[in-house]
């Protein structure tokens, strides 16, 4: 299958019921003189570009195993992948654009497989790379001047460039540019939510799904500048010599950001979108007030998000104020008060898990849902309660949907050991099918209602939330998290 894009022709690979095009450039390479600068249009090519392999991953810590370990890394990483139905016909299909997670420091668009969406659901699926860590989110405008004014948000501008590519090219792959859904989990969900507050992203997507993430990763410029100076100190570079960052090998930047603790799975993102007043407004959520035509939103969080981090990280197992300061900045005291409250209702271990889960994920999701709904956009909210041996941990909804997608081909997902916390058991299959149906219905028509789940009302004045469980049900006005009064949706250091 050969498709003509605005930059040149691409040739894909045939799969069962679908075609896949891997490694299509949507922007120019970002190395050399373009480091820390906004993405530029892709360079055109002659002839037919064979797109049978994933492109370079964005520079990051190398993986020990899995697909990422097999990929090369390069600053020439702004590529995307497209899966399209084999029998796409004349009618344009709905489009998914998947934004990967990874704490803004890891991951790749090759993490996912869109073949089932294409072959079974008739959806054109796109996954993208974007710049990570210091290369995508290092605030440098105060040190390097106006030419680098967007440096703290370049990773987000990469995503905007990919969405613009979709608008210009996806019809050639059978996709409908007027029905584009952005979807992400964790940091990917935080990118999805951040698109709502970016003027440059308006009109580039029409629906959004945010799984365990909202705008809570956006930080103020002061916090972003502290991160920049810590990185410079690790590299033994003075602020006056910050231009040396333009010349260092990318590997040195990755080593430095890891050495000072910027690569972490503990919920703390030292990198992420930055409030700068022009790419992202000074008060992101308030900027949505009065906005017209915001896309419909499907958003939620899981009951035991933090349990997997506590299980994997010994430093998170003992409740203390220092941990909360590292995780929540100036909101640490509110989180500590919530922990003290929950201790009177449950075991200290359960109280700690509840506190971290709510302040890392649930509160941010509720604040963002409230802001979007108040602007007049339809919002559907969920709370996943069904989970594995550690509960409904961070990322478990992805396991359920992936299992449902692979239902006809169990060999298409890795077999997990019986004690794996992400294991989906047979009794969960009904919920998994219901979630797949709801997600796909939302992607097609902007409404997740399906016969496989109870009627799902919008999240309005009654704060209706779909509790996804072995027997799902709608709850109105679920008890608010103890720390819902957190006053600062933008992350700030103390």
């Amino acid at each position: 299958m050969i498709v003509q894009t605005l930059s040149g022709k691409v040739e894909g690979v045939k799969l069962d019921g679908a075609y896949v095009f891997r490694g299509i450039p949507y922007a120019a390479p970002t190395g050399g003189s373009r480091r820390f600068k906004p993405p530029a249009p892709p360079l055109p090519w002659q002839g037919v570009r064979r797109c049978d392999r994933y492109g370079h991953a964005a520079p990051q810590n190398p993986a020990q195993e899995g697909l990422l370990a097999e990929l090369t890394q390069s600053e020439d990483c702004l590529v995307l992948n497209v899966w399209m139905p084999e029998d796409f016909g004349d009618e344009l299909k709905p489009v998914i654009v998947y934004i990967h997670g990874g704490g803004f420091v890891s991951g790749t668009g090759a993490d996912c497989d869109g073949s089932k969406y294409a072959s079974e659901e008739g959806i054109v699926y796109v996954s993208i790379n974007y710049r990570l860590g210091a290369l995508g989110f290092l605030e440098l405008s105060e040190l390097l001047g106006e030419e680098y004014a967007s440096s703290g948000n370049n990773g987000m501008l990469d995503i905007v460039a990919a969405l613009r590519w979709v608008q210009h090219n996806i019809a050639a792959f059978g996709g409908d540019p007027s029905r584009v859904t952005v979807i992400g989990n964790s940091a990917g969900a935080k990118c999805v939510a951040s698109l709502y507050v970016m003027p440059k992203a308006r009109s580039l997507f029409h629906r959004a799904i945010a799984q365990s993430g909202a705008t809570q990763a956006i930080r103020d410029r002061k916090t972003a500048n502290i991160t920049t100076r810590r990185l410079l100190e690790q590299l033994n570079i003075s602020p006056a010599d910050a231009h040396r960052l333009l010349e260092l090998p990318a590997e040195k930047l990755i080593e430095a950001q890891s050495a000072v603790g910027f690569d972490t799975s503990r919920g703390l993102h030292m990198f992420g979108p930055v409030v700068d007043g022009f790419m992202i407004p000074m008060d992101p959520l308030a900027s949505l007030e009065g906005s017209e035509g915001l896309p419909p939103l499907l958003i939620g969080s899981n009951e035991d998000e933090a349990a997997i981090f506590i299980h994997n990280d010994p430093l998170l197992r003992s409740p203390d104020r220092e941990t909360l300061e590292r995780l929540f900045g100036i909101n640490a005291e509110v989180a500590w008060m919530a922990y003290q409250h929950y201790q009177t209702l449950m075991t200290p271990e359960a109280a700690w898990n509840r506190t971290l889960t709510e302040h890392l994920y649930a509160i941010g999701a509720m604040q963002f849902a409230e802001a979007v709904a108040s602007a007049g956009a339809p919002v559907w909210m969920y709370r996943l309660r069904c989970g594995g041996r550690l509960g409904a941990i961070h990322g478990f909804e992805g396991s359920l949907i992936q299992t449902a997608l692979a239902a006809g081909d169990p060999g298409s997902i890795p077999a997990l050991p019986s004690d794996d916390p992400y294991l989906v058991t047979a009794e969960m299959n009904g919920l998994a099918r219901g979630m797949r149906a709801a997600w796909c219905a939302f992607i097609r028509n902007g409404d997740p209602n399906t016969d496989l789940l109870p009627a799902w009302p919008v999240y309005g004045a009654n704060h209706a939330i779909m509790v996804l469980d072995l027997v799902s049900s709608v709850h109105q006005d679920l008890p608010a998290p103890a720390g819902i009064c957190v006053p600062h949706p933008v992350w700030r250091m103390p």
Side-chain angles (χ1 to χ4, degrees), residues 206-436:
H206 313 95
R207 290 149 202 163
I209 301 176
Q211 300 172 179
S212 298
T215 53
Q216 66 265 49
I218 298 176
R219 69 276 335 281
D220 69 329
R221 183 170 277 179
K222 177 182 176 183
T223 296
N225 284 330
I226 292 173
T227 297
T228 300
R229 291 180 184 271
R230 286 181 179 176
L231 185 67
L232 289 173
E233 289 172 4
Q234 180 63 35
L235 290 165
N236 293 317
I237 296 175
S238 70
D241 291 329
H243 63 275
R244 288 177 54 196
L245 293 171
L246 306 175
E247 304 162 0
L248 289 176
E251 294 80 3
K252 292 293 184 183
L253 292 174
I254 303 304
E255 290 173 7
Q257 72 183 36
S258 303
V260 291
F262 294 165
D263 264 337
T264 176
S265 62
R266 301 172 191 165
L268 171 64
H269 302 318
M270 291 304 297
F271 292 107
V274 178
V275 165
D276 57 14
F278 61 101
M279 295 298 175
I280 294 181
M282 301 307 292
D283 191 334
L285 292 187
S287 73
L288 297 179
E289 185 176 350
S291 297
E292 295 183 0
L294 289 180
L297 172 67
L298 174 61
I299 185 171
S301 60
N302 303 345
E303 193 90 343
D304 305 289
E305 299 267 12
I308 189 65
F309 305 129
I310 296 170
H311 177 267
N312 290 339
D313 189 346
L315 295 178
L316 281 183
R317 292 175 192 163
S318 299
D320 64 76
R321 289 174 180 264
E322 182 180 345
T323 296
L324 295 180
E325 288 179 359
R326 178 167 52 82
L327 291 173
F328 304 118
I330 63 174
N331 296 322
E333 185 61 29
V334 176
W336 182 254
M337 291 172 61
Y339 170 66
Q340 297 294 328
H341 167 72
Y342 286 132
Q343 265 196 308
T344 67
L345 305 175
M346 58 192 75
T347 67
E349 293 78 11
W352 185 240
N353 177 39
R354 173 73 66 84
T355 300
L356 294 186
T357 291
E358 289 184 346
H359 286 76
L360 286 171
Y361 297 101
I363 292 173
M366 293 175 72
Q367 288 177 328
F368 183 62
E370 195 76 44
V372 175
S374 296
V379 176
W380 287 268
M381 195 165 196
Y382 71 85
R383 178 80 55 82
L384 179 63
R385 191 164 284 169
C386 177
R389 67 181 184 87
L390 295 179
I393 56 177
H394 188 59
F396 200 81
E397 67 270 71
S399 293
L400 287 164
I401 293 173
Q402 183 60 34
T403 296
L405 286 167
D409 181 17
S412 67
I413 59 174
L416 299 177
S418 59
D419 62 344
D420 192 290
Y422 287 98
L423 178 68
V424 174
T425 61
E427 67 175 350
M428 302 177 192
N429 285 342
L431 172 60
R433 289 194 297 272
M435 290 176 64
R436 169 181 172 169

